[in-house]
Amino acid sequence: MFTIAMKSNAIRVLATLALAAVPGFASPITVSNFSFESAVSGLVACGTNCNSGNVVIPGWTSSPTGQSGIFQVTGAGTYWNDVGVQLADGPQSAYVFTAASTGPVTLSQVVGTATAGWTYNLSVDIGQRLDLSGYMGTADLLINGAMHAITCPAALSGGFVTCTGSYTALASDNGQAITIQLNATQRQGNFDNVQLSAVPEPASFLLIGSALFALSSLRRRRANS
């Protein structure tokens, strides 16, 4: 009987922890080549702060094709400062290039499907080149045909800032594809460290916690019978 009581207490503890975890539990969603460190052509011994030219970036789709590539940010130079620019997840970052004569250019990746009631948190480091003052890219979470933009602090000339945003999926979003989209708003957008996480709806944890409490009560009744 003592053993059953101990097990019941343990289950109650697990139930309490499950209920307490409702507000803060987040699980990462895999983003392929999230920091753009996969090898591409044109970057072998290319020097400080060089770029690959327009190439295919593994894990990502450029639309239209041929207008994206990789920057190697390795120190001060024409494009980047040496203060706060050394990227923590490796020297490579992506760029998406556009011009006045072209339409919007995007770099995108489908990462899964949405679950109604879950909150999706997107984080992207976005850079501003020294020689392109005022130009910045943007990023969106695209679900069920709707774009949910992230917001950024003030641009850092010659460096990167972390931009974030979140969206809670509606019933109409359930099962719809989740796409991360990086956009060149004007001349060039520069991106790194793309992270996405999901926080389950509170009802999921409430259901787990309630089930554990019910199991604990059942064990106690059996122990007392």
Side-chain angles (χ1 to χ4, degrees), residues 49-105:
N49 293 332
C50 56
N51 68 78
S52 65
N54 296 332
V55 296
V56 174
I57 300 177
W60 296 85
T61 299
S62 176
S63 179
T65 60
Q67 290 184 245
S68 62
I70 295 294
F71 253 112
Q72 238 177 6
V73 182
T74 53
T78 303
Y79 306 121
W80 308 104
N81 284 321
D82 58 351
V83 179
V85 175
Q86 304 303 320
L87 305 177
D89 55 349
Q92 295 185 184
S93 62
Y95 71 79
V96 180
F97 173 81
T98 187
S101 60
T102 68
V105 179

mmCIF file of all heavy atoms in Angstrom, residues 49-105:
data_model
loop_
_atom_site.group_PDB
_atom_site.id
_atom_site.type_symbol
_atom_site.label_atom_id
_atom_site.label_comp_id
_atom_site.label_asym_id
_atom_site.label_seq_id
_atom_site.Cartn_x
_atom_site.Cartn_y
_atom_site.Cartn_z
ATOM 1 N N ASN A 49 34.936 39.136 -45.517
ATOM 2 C CA ASN A 49 33.640 39.702 -45.884
ATOM 3 C C ASN A 49 33.325 39.570 -47.371
ATOM 4 O O ASN A 49 32.885 40.518 -48.025
ATOM 5 C CB ASN A 49 33.571 41.179 -45.478
ATOM 6 C CG ASN A 49 33.575 41.357 -43.974
ATOM 7 O OD1 ASN A 49 33.132 40.473 -43.252
ATOM 8 N ND2 ASN A 49 34.081 42.470 -43.501
ATOM 9 N N CYS A 50 33.578 38.391 -47.904
ATOM 10 C CA CYS A 50 33.315 38.170 -49.320
ATOM 11 C C CYS A 50 31.961 37.495 -49.499
ATOM 12 O O CYS A 50 31.348 37.028 -48.548
ATOM 13 C CB CYS A 50 34.406 37.306 -49.921
ATOM 14 S SG CYS A 50 34.607 35.748 -49.050
ATOM 15 N N ASN A 51 31.490 37.409 -50.747
ATOM 16 C CA ASN A 51 30.220 36.731 -50.984
ATOM 17 C C ASN A 51 30.359 35.736 -52.119
ATOM 18 O O ASN A 51 31.297 35.789 -52.915
ATOM 19 C CB ASN A 51 29.109 37.747 -51.265
ATOM 20 C CG ASN A 51 29.294 38.470 -52.579
ATOM 21 O OD1 ASN A 51 29.010 37.921 -53.633
ATOM 22 N ND2 ASN A 51 29.757 39.721 -52.520
ATOM 23 N N SER A 52 29.418 34.824 -52.177
ATOM 24 C CA SER A 52 29.478 33.720 -53.133
ATOM 25 C C SER A 52 29.009 34.116 -54.519
ATOM 26 O O SER A 52 29.191 33.356 -55.472
ATOM 27 C CB SER A 52 28.594 32.573 -52.629
ATOM 28 O OG SER A 52 27.233 32.991 -52.613
ATOM 29 N N GLY A 53 28.361 35.266 -54.635
ATOM 30 C CA GLY A 53 27.603 35.522 -55.847
ATOM 31 C C GLY A 53 26.275 34.780 -55.730
ATOM 32 O O GLY A 53 26.016 34.069 -54.753
ATOM 33 N N ASN A 54 25.413 34.936 -56.698
ATOM 34 C CA ASN A 54 24.089 34.316 -56.622
ATOM 35 C C ASN A 54 24.180 32.814 -56.852
ATOM 36 O O ASN A 54 24.599 32.362 -57.920
ATOM 37 C CB ASN A 54 23.162 34.955 -57.655
ATOM 38 C CG ASN A 54 22.922 36.426 -57.356
ATOM 39 O OD1 ASN A 54 22.981 36.840 -56.202
ATOM 40 N ND2 ASN A 54 22.652 37.212 -58.382
ATOM 41 N N VAL A 55 23.800 32.038 -55.840
ATOM 42 C CA VAL A 55 23.886 30.579 -55.896
ATOM 43 C C VAL A 55 22.647 29.984 -55.238
ATOM 44 O O VAL A 55 21.867 30.674 -54.596
ATOM 45 C CB VAL A 55 25.144 30.044 -55.166
ATOM 46 C CG1 VAL A 55 26.412 30.525 -55.838
ATOM 47 C CG2 VAL A 55 25.122 30.453 -53.691
ATOM 48 N N VAL A 56 22.485 28.666 -55.409
ATOM 49 C CA VAL A 56 21.439 27.931 -54.699
ATOM 50 C C VAL A 56 21.892 27.706 -53.259
ATOM 51 O O VAL A 56 23.005 27.232 -53.014
ATOM 52 C CB VAL A 56 21.156 26.579 -55.387
ATOM 53 C CG1 VAL A 56 20.171 25.758 -54.555
ATOM 54 C CG2 VAL A 56 20.617 26.801 -56.796
ATOM 55 N N ILE A 57 21.054 28.061 -52.301
ATOM 56 C CA ILE A 57 21.372 27.866 -50.885
ATOM 57 C C ILE A 57 20.696 26.598 -50.409
ATOM 58 O O ILE A 57 19.458 26.492 -50.470
ATOM 59 C CB ILE A 57 20.900 29.068 -50.047
ATOM 60 C CG1 ILE A 57 21.592 30.347 -50.515
ATOM 61 C CG2 ILE A 57 21.172 28.836 -48.567
ATOM 62 C CD1 ILE A 57 21.126 31.599 -49.799
ATOM 63 N N PRO A 58 21.446 25.594 -49.953
ATOM 64 C CA PRO A 58 20.846 24.325 -49.517
ATOM 65 C C PRO A 58 19.752 24.537 -48.470
ATOM 66 O O PRO A 58 19.904 25.315 -47.538
ATOM 67 C CB PRO A 58 22.040 23.571 -48.912
ATOM 68 C CG PRO A 58 23.232 24.131 -49.626
ATOM 69 C CD PRO A 58 22.920 25.587 -49.833
ATOM 70 N N GLY A 59 18.631 23.849 -48.667
ATOM 71 C CA GLY A 59 17.525 23.907 -47.727
ATOM 72 C C GLY A 59 16.538 25.028 -47.992
ATOM 73 O O GLY A 59 15.464 25.063 -47.384
ATOM 74 N N TRP A 60 16.876 25.950 -48.886
ATOM 75 C CA TRP A 60 16.044 27.121 -49.126
ATOM 76 C C TRP A 60 15.710 27.258 -50.610
ATOM 77 O O TRP A 60 16.451 26.796 -51.465
ATOM 78 C CB TRP A 60 16.748 28.391 -48.648
ATOM 79 C CG TRP A 60 16.984 28.411 -47.172
ATOM 80 C CD1 TRP A 60 18.036 27.852 -46.497
ATOM 81 C CD2 TRP A 60 16.143 29.007 -46.183
ATOM 82 N NE1 TRP A 60 17.903 28.064 -45.143
ATOM 83 C CE2 TRP A 60 16.752 28.780 -44.925
ATOM 84 C CE3 TRP A 60 14.947 29.729 -46.239
ATOM 85 C CZ2 TRP A 60 16.181 29.235 -43.732
ATOM 86 C CZ3 TRP A 60 14.385 30.181 -45.053
ATOM 87 C CH2 TRP A 60 14.997 29.933 -43.822
ATOM 88 N N THR A 61 14.581 27.926 -50.882
ATOM 89 C CA THR A 61 14.139 28.153 -52.259
ATOM 90 C C THR A 61 14.096 29.647 -52.536
ATOM 91 O O THR A 61 13.443 30.406 -51.807
ATOM 92 C CB THR A 61 12.732 27.563 -52.487
ATOM 93 O OG1 THR A 61 12.773 26.155 -52.260
ATOM 94 C CG2 THR A 61 12.264 27.831 -53.915
ATOM 95 N N SER A 62 14.790 30.074 -53.579
ATOM 96 C CA SER A 62 14.792 31.479 -53.978
ATOM 97 C C SER A 62 13.761 31.699 -55.078
ATOM 98 O O SER A 62 13.647 30.908 -56.007
ATOM 99 C CB SER A 62 16.177 31.885 -54.494
ATOM 100 O OG SER A 62 16.177 33.219 -54.961
ATOM 101 N N SER A 63 12.987 32.772 -54.936
ATOM 102 C CA SER A 63 11.988 33.094 -55.951
ATOM 103 C C SER A 63 12.026 34.593 -56.250
ATOM 104 O O SER A 63 11.786 35.409 -55.363
ATOM 105 C CB SER A 63 10.589 32.705 -55.469
ATOM 106 O OG SER A 63 9.616 33.042 -56.434
ATOM 107 N N PRO A 64 12.354 34.957 -57.500
ATOM 108 C CA PRO A 64 12.798 34.081 -58.592
ATOM 109 C C PRO A 64 14.178 33.506 -58.299
ATOM 110 O O PRO A 64 14.875 33.993 -57.412
ATOM 111 C CB PRO A 64 12.828 35.028 -59.791
ATOM 112 C CG PRO A 64 13.053 36.383 -59.198
ATOM 113 C CD PRO A 64 12.349 36.376 -57.888
ATOM 114 N N THR A 65 14.547 32.490 -59.062
ATOM 115 C CA THR A 65 15.833 31.834 -58.835
ATOM 116 C C THR A 65 16.988 32.745 -59.227
ATOM 117 O O THR A 65 16.826 33.680 -60.011
ATOM 118 C CB THR A 65 15.928 30.530 -59.640
ATOM 119 O OG1 THR A 65 15.786 30.835 -61.039
ATOM 120 C CG2 THR A 65 14.838 29.560 -59.211
ATOM 121 N N GLY A 66 18.153 32.452 -58.654
ATOM 122 C CA GLY A 66 19.363 33.159 -59.048
ATOM 123 C C GLY A 66 19.528 34.534 -58.451
ATOM 124 O O GLY A 66 20.297 35.345 -58.976
ATOM 125 N N GLN A 67 18.815 34.836 -57.347
ATOM 126 C CA GLN A 67 18.955 36.153 -56.741
ATOM 127 C C GLN A 67 19.204 36.054 -55.233
ATOM 128 O O GLN A 67 18.761 36.893 -54.451
ATOM 129 C CB GLN A 67 17.730 37.019 -57.038
ATOM 130 C CG GLN A 67 17.664 37.422 -58.510
ATOM 131 C CD GLN A 67 16.529 38.365 -58.828
ATOM 132 O OE1 GLN A 67 15.614 38.024 -59.559
ATOM 133 N NE2 GLN A 67 16.606 39.568 -58.299
ATOM 134 N N SER A 68 19.939 35.027 -54.839
ATOM 135 C CA SER A 68 20.319 34.865 -53.433
ATOM 136 C C SER A 68 21.701 34.232 -53.365
ATOM 137 O O SER A 68 22.163 33.613 -54.324
ATOM 138 C CB SER A 68 19.301 33.993 -52.690
ATOM 139 O OG SER A 68 19.267 32.688 -53.256
ATOM 140 N N GLY A 69 22.360 34.413 -52.237
ATOM 141 C CA GLY A 69 23.689 33.855 -52.062
ATOM 142 C C GLY A 69 24.145 33.950 -50.624
ATOM 143 O O GLY A 69 23.338 34.174 -49.721
ATOM 144 N N ILE A 70 25.458 33.787 -50.398
ATOM 145 C CA ILE A 70 26.026 33.731 -49.057
ATOM 146 C C ILE A 70 27.089 34.819 -48.883
ATOM 147 O O ILE A 70 27.945 35.009 -49.751
ATOM 148 C CB ILE A 70 26.674 32.356 -48.800
ATOM 149 C CG1 ILE A 70 25.602 31.254 -48.806
ATOM 150 C CG2 ILE A 70 27.435 32.344 -47.479
ATOM 151 C CD1 ILE A 70 24.603 31.333 -47.670
ATOM 152 N N PHE A 71 27.009 35.513 -47.745
ATOM 153 C CA PHE A 71 28.059 36.421 -47.312
ATOM 154 C C PHE A 71 28.879 35.733 -46.236
ATOM 155 O O PHE A 71 28.323 35.060 -45.362
ATOM 156 C CB PHE A 71 27.482 37.707 -46.713
ATOM 157 C CG PHE A 71 27.619 38.909 -47.592
ATOM 158 C CD1 PHE A 71 26.501 39.497 -48.166
ATOM 159 C CD2 PHE A 71 28.860 39.474 -47.839
ATOM 160 C CE1 PHE A 71 26.616 40.611 -48.965
ATOM 161 C CE2 PHE A 71 28.992 40.589 -48.652
ATOM 162 C CZ PHE A 71 27.863 41.165 -49.215
ATOM 163 N N GLN A 72 30.192 35.885 -46.273
ATOM 164 C CA GLN A 72 31.054 35.456 -45.191
ATOM 165 C C GLN A 72 31.410 36.702 -44.380
ATOM 166 O O GLN A 72 32.107 37.585 -44.864
ATOM 167 C CB GLN A 72 32.324 34.792 -45.728
ATOM 168 C CG GLN A 72 32.478 33.386 -45.226
ATOM 169 C CD GLN A 72 33.700 32.699 -45.823
ATOM 170 O OE1 GLN A 72 34.495 33.314 -46.528
ATOM 171 N NE2 GLN A 72 33.857 31.439 -45.540
ATOM 172 N N VAL A 73 30.874 36.790 -43.145
ATOM 173 C CA VAL A 73 31.121 37.951 -42.294
ATOM 174 C C VAL A 73 32.259 37.600 -41.340
ATOM 175 O O VAL A 73 32.075 36.880 -40.364
ATOM 176 C CB VAL A 73 29.856 38.330 -41.504
ATOM 177 C CG1 VAL A 73 30.108 39.565 -40.651
ATOM 178 C CG2 VAL A 73 28.698 38.579 -42.455
ATOM 179 N N THR A 74 33.446 38.103 -41.621
ATOM 180 C CA THR A 74 34.625 37.684 -40.854
ATOM 181 C C THR A 74 35.380 38.844 -40.219
ATOM 182 O O THR A 74 36.417 38.638 -39.605
ATOM 183 C CB THR A 74 35.596 36.909 -41.770
ATOM 184 O OG1 THR A 74 35.872 37.700 -42.934
ATOM 185 C CG2 THR A 74 34.989 35.587 -42.200
ATOM 186 N N GLY A 75 34.885 40.056 -40.361
ATOM 187 C CA GLY A 75 35.572 41.192 -39.750
ATOM 188 C C GLY A 75 35.186 42.490 -40.407
ATOM 189 O O GLY A 75 34.253 42.557 -41.216
ATOM 190 N N ALA A 76 35.889 43.562 -40.056
ATOM 191 C CA ALA A 76 35.585 44.877 -40.618
ATOM 192 C C ALA A 76 35.940 44.921 -42.096
ATOM 193 O O ALA A 76 36.884 44.287 -42.540
ATOM 194 C CB ALA A 76 36.359 45.956 -39.865
ATOM 195 N N GLY A 77 35.154 45.671 -42.858
ATOM 196 C CA GLY A 77 35.425 45.788 -44.282
ATOM 197 C C GLY A 77 34.447 46.737 -44.936
ATOM 198 O O GLY A 77 33.817 47.568 -44.276
ATOM 199 N N THR A 78 34.279 46.588 -46.235
ATOM 200 C CA THR A 78 33.397 47.470 -46.995
ATOM 201 C C THR A 78 31.943 47.317 -46.587
ATOM 202 O O THR A 78 31.183 48.286 -46.576
ATOM 203 C CB THR A 78 33.526 47.179 -48.497
ATOM 204 O OG1 THR A 78 34.888 47.322 -48.887
ATOM 205 C CG2 THR A 78 32.658 48.134 -49.313
ATOM 206 N N TYR A 79 31.544 46.080 -46.228
ATOM 207 C CA TYR A 79 30.137 45.793 -46.006
ATOM 208 C C TYR A 79 29.721 45.753 -44.537
ATOM 209 O O TYR A 79 28.587 46.054 -44.205
ATOM 210 C CB TYR A 79 29.777 44.449 -46.648
ATOM 211 C CG TYR A 79 30.147 44.358 -48.104
ATOM 212 C CD1 TYR A 79 31.019 43.371 -48.556
ATOM 213 C CD2 TYR A 79 29.627 45.262 -49.028
ATOM 214 C CE1 TYR A 79 31.364 43.291 -49.897
ATOM 215 C CE2 TYR A 79 29.968 45.182 -50.368
ATOM 216 C CZ TYR A 79 30.833 44.199 -50.800
ATOM 217 O OH TYR A 79 31.166 44.131 -52.124
ATOM 218 N N TRP A 80 30.638 45.337 -43.654
ATOM 219 C CA TRP A 80 30.265 45.099 -42.257
ATOM 220 C C TRP A 80 31.271 45.714 -41.288
ATOM 221 O O TRP A 80 32.453 45.815 -41.579
ATOM 222 C CB TRP A 80 30.169 43.588 -41.982
ATOM 223 C CG TRP A 80 29.292 42.867 -42.950
ATOM 224 C CD1 TRP A 80 29.680 42.076 -43.996
ATOM 225 C CD2 TRP A 80 27.869 42.910 -43.010
ATOM 226 N NE1 TRP A 80 28.599 41.615 -44.690
ATOM 227 C CE2 TRP A 80 27.464 42.109 -44.105
ATOM 228 C CE3 TRP A 80 26.875 43.527 -42.236
ATOM 229 C CZ2 TRP A 80 26.135 41.912 -44.444
ATOM 230 C CZ3 TRP A 80 25.545 43.349 -42.579
ATOM 231 C CH2 TRP A 80 25.191 42.543 -43.671
ATOM 232 N N ASN A 81 30.790 46.108 -40.105
ATOM 233 C CA ASN A 81 31.666 46.563 -39.027
ATOM 234 C C ASN A 81 32.329 45.373 -38.355
ATOM 235 O O ASN A 81 31.901 44.220 -38.522
ATOM 236 C CB ASN A 81 30.864 47.327 -37.965
ATOM 237 C CG ASN A 81 30.512 48.727 -38.409
ATOM 238 O OD1 ASN A 81 31.314 49.391 -39.046
ATOM 239 N ND2 ASN A 81 29.316 49.166 -38.079
ATOM 240 N N ASP A 82 33.331 45.656 -37.508
ATOM 241 C CA ASP A 82 33.924 44.582 -36.722
ATOM 242 C C ASP A 82 33.358 44.553 -35.306
ATOM 243 O O ASP A 82 33.751 43.731 -34.493
ATOM 244 C CB ASP A 82 35.457 44.729 -36.657
ATOM 245 C CG ASP A 82 35.881 46.056 -36.057
ATOM 246 O OD1 ASP A 82 35.011 46.920 -35.856
ATOM 247 O OD2 ASP A 82 37.082 46.218 -35.790
ATOM 248 N N VAL A 83 32.422 45.469 -34.986
ATOM 249 C CA VAL A 83 31.844 45.527 -33.641
ATOM 250 C C VAL A 83 30.503 44.803 -33.635
ATOM 251 O O VAL A 83 29.547 45.229 -34.280
ATOM 252 C CB VAL A 83 31.641 46.988 -33.180
ATOM 253 C CG1 VAL A 83 31.025 47.027 -31.796
ATOM 254 C CG2 VAL A 83 32.969 47.719 -33.200
ATOM 255 N N GLY A 84 30.443 43.692 -32.897
ATOM 256 C CA GLY A 84 29.194 42.964 -32.756
ATOM 257 C C GLY A 84 28.720 42.263 -34.009
ATOM 258 O O GLY A 84 27.549 41.897 -34.114
ATOM 259 N N VAL A 85 29.605 42.056 -34.968
ATOM 260 C CA VAL A 85 29.182 41.448 -36.220
ATOM 261 C C VAL A 85 29.599 39.981 -36.325
ATOM 262 O O VAL A 85 29.047 39.226 -37.097
ATOM 263 C CB VAL A 85 29.752 42.252 -37.417
ATOM 264 C CG1 VAL A 85 29.426 41.590 -38.732
ATOM 265 C CG2 VAL A 85 29.172 43.653 -37.403
ATOM 266 N N GLN A 86 30.583 39.580 -35.539
ATOM 267 C CA GLN A 86 31.013 38.181 -35.608
ATOM 268 C C GLN A 86 29.838 37.280 -35.228
ATOM 269 O O GLN A 86 29.377 37.280 -34.104
ATOM 270 C CB GLN A 86 32.196 37.943 -34.662
ATOM 271 C CG GLN A 86 33.383 38.863 -34.931
ATOM 272 C CD GLN A 86 33.904 38.747 -36.363
ATOM 273 O OE1 GLN A 86 33.958 37.657 -36.893
ATOM 274 N NE2 GLN A 86 34.274 39.866 -36.942
ATOM 275 N N LEU A 87 29.338 36.532 -36.177
ATOM 276 C CA LEU A 87 28.133 35.743 -35.974
ATOM 277 C C LEU A 87 28.419 34.549 -35.081
ATOM 278 O O LEU A 87 29.340 33.784 -35.332
ATOM 279 C CB LEU A 87 27.586 35.291 -37.331
ATOM 280 C CG LEU A 87 27.332 36.441 -38.331
ATOM 281 C CD1 LEU A 87 26.870 35.881 -39.665
ATOM 282 C CD2 LEU A 87 26.318 37.418 -37.778
ATOM 283 N N ALA A 88 27.588 34.383 -34.060
ATOM 284 C CA ALA A 88 27.842 33.360 -33.049
ATOM 285 C C ALA A 88 27.713 31.947 -33.604
ATOM 286 O O ALA A 88 28.309 31.009 -33.078
ATOM 287 C CB ALA A 88 26.879 33.550 -31.877
ATOM 288 N N ASP A 89 26.964 31.781 -34.671
ATOM 289 C CA ASP A 89 26.716 30.434 -35.194
ATOM 290 C C ASP A 89 27.503 30.143 -36.456
ATOM 291 O O ASP A 89 27.168 29.248 -37.209
ATOM 292 C CB ASP A 89 25.217 30.257 -35.455
ATOM 293 C CG ASP A 89 24.674 31.342 -36.370
ATOM 294 O OD1 ASP A 89 25.398 32.316 -36.613
ATOM 295 O OD2 ASP A 89 23.537 31.202 -36.844
ATOM 296 N N GLY A 90 28.569 30.886 -36.701
ATOM 297 C CA GLY A 90 29.400 30.659 -37.879
ATOM 298 C C GLY A 90 29.486 31.905 -38.728
ATOM 299 O O GLY A 90 28.674 32.823 -38.597
ATOM 300 N N PRO A 91 30.456 31.968 -39.640
ATOM 301 C CA PRO A 91 30.717 33.206 -40.384
ATOM 302 C C PRO A 91 29.759 33.484 -41.536
ATOM 303 O O PRO A 91 29.748 34.583 -42.070
ATOM 304 C CB PRO A 91 32.135 32.986 -40.918
ATOM 305 C CG PRO A 91 32.244 31.502 -41.075
ATOM 306 C CD PRO A 91 31.460 30.931 -39.920
ATOM 307 N N GLN A 92 28.950 32.513 -41.933
ATOM 308 C CA GLN A 92 28.134 32.700 -43.127
ATOM 309 C C GLN A 92 26.740 33.238 -42.807
ATOM 310 O O GLN A 92 26.125 32.869 -41.813
ATOM 311 C CB GLN A 92 28.014 31.376 -43.900
ATOM 312 C CG GLN A 92 29.338 30.895 -44.450
ATOM 313 C CD GLN A 92 29.227 29.652 -45.309
ATOM 314 O OE1 GLN A 92 30.241 29.122 -45.750
ATOM 315 N NE2 GLN A 92 28.033 29.164 -45.572
ATOM 316 N N SER A 93 26.265 34.104 -43.665
ATOM 317 C CA SER A 93 24.891 34.593 -43.607
ATOM 318 C C SER A 93 24.351 34.638 -45.031
ATOM 319 O O SER A 93 25.120 34.632 -45.996
ATOM 320 C CB SER A 93 24.834 35.987 -42.969
ATOM 321 O OG SER A 93 25.552 36.921 -43.747
ATOM 322 N N ALA A 94 23.029 34.673 -45.170
ATOM 323 C CA ALA A 94 22.421 34.667 -46.499
ATOM 324 C C ALA A 94 22.056 36.074 -46.939
ATOM 325 O O ALA A 94 21.798 36.950 -46.113
ATOM 326 C CB ALA A 94 21.169 33.797 -46.489
ATOM 327 N N TYR A 95 22.041 36.283 -48.239
ATOM 328 C CA TYR A 95 21.493 37.525 -48.755
ATOM 329 C C TYR A 95 20.466 37.219 -49.843
ATOM 330 O O TYR A 95 20.513 36.179 -50.511
ATOM 331 C CB TYR A 95 22.585 38.451 -49.297
ATOM 332 C CG TYR A 95 23.239 38.016 -50.594
ATOM 333 C CD1 TYR A 95 22.615 38.216 -51.829
ATOM 334 C CD2 TYR A 95 24.496 37.415 -50.589
ATOM 335 C CE1 TYR A 95 23.222 37.819 -53.009
ATOM 336 C CE2 TYR A 95 25.110 37.026 -51.769
ATOM 337 C CZ TYR A 95 24.470 37.232 -52.977
ATOM 338 O OH TYR A 95 25.071 36.836 -54.148
ATOM 339 N N VAL A 96 19.525 38.127 -49.983
ATOM 340 C CA VAL A 96 18.549 38.086 -51.070
ATOM 341 C C VAL A 96 18.637 39.430 -51.771
ATOM 342 O O VAL A 96 18.525 40.482 -51.144
ATOM 343 C CB VAL A 96 17.118 37.848 -50.545
ATOM 344 C CG1 VAL A 96 16.131 37.815 -51.708
ATOM 345 C CG2 VAL A 96 17.045 36.547 -49.758
ATOM 346 N N PHE A 97 18.856 39.394 -53.066
ATOM 347 C CA PHE A 97 19.129 40.608 -53.838
ATOM 348 C C PHE A 97 17.949 40.969 -54.733
ATOM 349 O O PHE A 97 17.361 40.112 -55.380
ATOM 350 C CB PHE A 97 20.375 40.408 -54.700
ATOM 351 C CG PHE A 97 20.645 41.536 -55.652
ATOM 352 C CD1 PHE A 97 21.273 42.692 -55.220
ATOM 353 C CD2 PHE A 97 20.264 41.443 -56.989
ATOM 354 C CE1 PHE A 97 21.516 43.747 -56.098
ATOM 355 C CE2 PHE A 97 20.516 42.485 -57.880
ATOM 356 C CZ PHE A 97 21.135 43.641 -57.424
ATOM 357 N N THR A 98 17.611 42.246 -54.752
ATOM 358 C CA THR A 98 16.613 42.734 -55.686
ATOM 359 C C THR A 98 17.104 44.065 -56.254
ATOM 360 O O THR A 98 18.161 44.552 -55.899
ATOM 361 C CB THR A 98 15.229 42.907 -55.019
ATOM 362 O OG1 THR A 98 14.268 43.231 -56.024
ATOM 363 C CG2 THR A 98 15.258 43.999 -53.953
ATOM 364 N N ALA A 99 16.331 44.648 -57.142
ATOM 365 C CA ALA A 99 16.673 45.948 -57.729
ATOM 366 C C ALA A 99 15.382 46.614 -58.176
ATOM 367 O O ALA A 99 14.316 45.984 -58.212
ATOM 368 C CB ALA A 99 17.620 45.763 -58.916
ATOM 369 N N ALA A 100 15.469 47.884 -58.494
ATOM 370 C CA ALA A 100 14.260 48.637 -58.843
ATOM 371 C C ALA A 100 13.522 48.029 -60.031
ATOM 372 O O ALA A 100 12.311 48.183 -60.172
ATOM 373 C CB ALA A 100 14.631 50.090 -59.130
ATOM 374 N N SER A 101 14.258 47.345 -60.900
ATOM 375 C CA SER A 101 13.653 46.823 -62.126
ATOM 376 C C SER A 101 13.033 45.444 -61.935
ATOM 377 O O SER A 101 12.467 44.895 -62.873
ATOM 378 C CB SER A 101 14.714 46.747 -63.233
ATOM 379 O OG SER A 101 15.772 45.877 -62.839
ATOM 380 N N THR A 102 13.130 44.895 -60.756
ATOM 381 C CA THR A 102 12.591 43.550 -60.526
ATOM 382 C C THR A 102 11.478 43.587 -59.493
ATOM 383 O O THR A 102 11.322 44.549 -58.743
ATOM 384 C CB THR A 102 13.681 42.587 -60.026
ATOM 385 O OG1 THR A 102 14.067 42.987 -58.698
ATOM 386 C CG2 THR A 102 14.881 42.600 -60.942
ATOM 387 N N GLY A 103 10.697 42.508 -59.464
ATOM 388 C CA GLY A 103 9.662 42.368 -58.455
ATOM 389 C C GLY A 103 10.252 41.886 -57.149
ATOM 390 O O GLY A 103 11.467 41.751 -57.006
ATOM 391 N N PRO A 104 9.395 41.608 -56.159
ATOM 392 C CA PRO A 104 9.870 41.116 -54.858
ATOM 393 C C PRO A 104 10.659 39.819 -54.997
ATOM 394 O O PRO A 104 10.360 38.976 -55.836
ATOM 395 C CB PRO A 104 8.567 40.884 -54.089
ATOM 396 C CG PRO A 104 7.565 41.760 -54.755
ATOM 397 C CD PRO A 104 7.951 41.769 -56.204
ATOM 398 N N VAL A 105 11.680 39.673 -54.183
ATOM 399 C CA VAL A 105 12.503 38.471 -54.166
ATOM 400 C C VAL A 105 12.427 37.859 -52.771
ATOM 401 O O VAL A 105 12.525 38.569 -51.771
ATOM 402 C CB VAL A 105 13.968 38.789 -54.527
ATOM 403 C CG1 VAL A 105 14.813 37.537 -54.492
ATOM 404 C CG2 VAL A 105 14.038 39.425 -55.904
#
